[in-house]
Amino acid sequence: MRSPRGFTLIEMMITVVIVSILALGLVPLGELAVQRSKESDLRTALRQIRTALDAYKKAADEGKIERKADASGYPPSLEALVEGVADQKSPGKKQIYFLRRIPRDPFHGDASTPAARTWGLRSYESPPDNPRSGKDVFDVYSLAEGKGLSGVPYREW
């Protein structure tokens, strides 16, 4: 039996099967593209925050930011990078800002969580193999459980 376009039922079924197989092959490629995009966003966010932390520390070392004698010179929170601090060397004590906004961890699932709480915080006093929060923010890391395409856990990026 031929269809109005001249194809037999078997030819149409073969075509549907071939198209289905091709579509199934594209699903993993789509998932891989999403993961690559999130990993790229994670690298960018980590770079932005770490650059801002380093700039804050440099400003503290240069005396632009008031700090106690026993303080490390790193900000007390990620929010301090956005809120800014008074420049002690400026005549009008203008605010110094280090970030416009805190980027979110792209692997954090809850969109209602504030961006600063999507990151794990490491204080200056915590050991490198066991990061813990403390009086300051020395570094950030992803709280995501998975591993990147490179095989390295996101927490270690």
Side-chain angles (χ1 to χ4, degrees):
M1 173 183 259
R2 295 208 172 263
S3 70
R5 297 193 188 261
F7 295 109
T8 65
L9 183 59
I10 293 175
E11 290 172 329
M12 290 190 316
M13 287 176 56
I14 291 172
T15 303
V16 168
V17 168
I18 290 172
V19 169
S20 298
I21 290 170
L22 291 173
L24 286 173
L26 293 178
V27 170
L29 289 176
E31 291 172 355
L32 184 65
V34 168
Q35 184 176 0
R36 267 200 190 115
S37 175
K38 283 185 174 183
E39 286 186 8
S40 176
D41 292 345
L42 177 61
R43 276 196 244 11
T44 300
L46 286 169
R47 189 176 320 113
Q48 287 174 348
I49 294 172
R50 288 173 175 161
T51 300
L53 291 169
D54 291 343
Y56 188 102
K57 171 71 167 139
K58 182 179 178 189
D61 289 346
E62 293 172 351
K64 291 182 177 182
I65 298 173
E66 184 179 345
R67 72 174 178 181
K68 297 177 184 170
D70 64 338
S72 67
Y74 288 98
S77 66
L78 289 179
E79 290 85 354
L81 300 171
V82 176
E83 294 165 359
V85 291
D87 183 349
Q88 299 300 314
K89 291 193 171 184
S90 148
K93 298 208 181 207
K94 293 183 178 180
Q95 291 284 100
I96 306 172
Y97 300 97
F98 301 94
L99 282 175
R100 289 181 183 216
R101 64 176 179 78
I102 300 169
R104 298 184 62 76
D105 181 342
F107 287 100
H108 194 277
D110 186 4
S112 66
T113 304
R117 290 200 174 83
T118 63
W119 299 103
L121 306 178
R122 176 178 170 217
S123 75
Y124 186 71
E125 296 173 350
S126 73
D129 58 341
N130 185 17
R132 288 178 277 126
S133 59
K135 295 185 286 185
D136 58 12
V137 180
F138 172 71
D139 194 16
V140 294
Y141 59 92
S142 178
L143 296 173
E145 294 294 325
K147 289 185 178 182
L149 293 172
S150 65
V152 178
Y154 295 125
R155 289 177 174 259
E156 295 177 15
W157 284 29

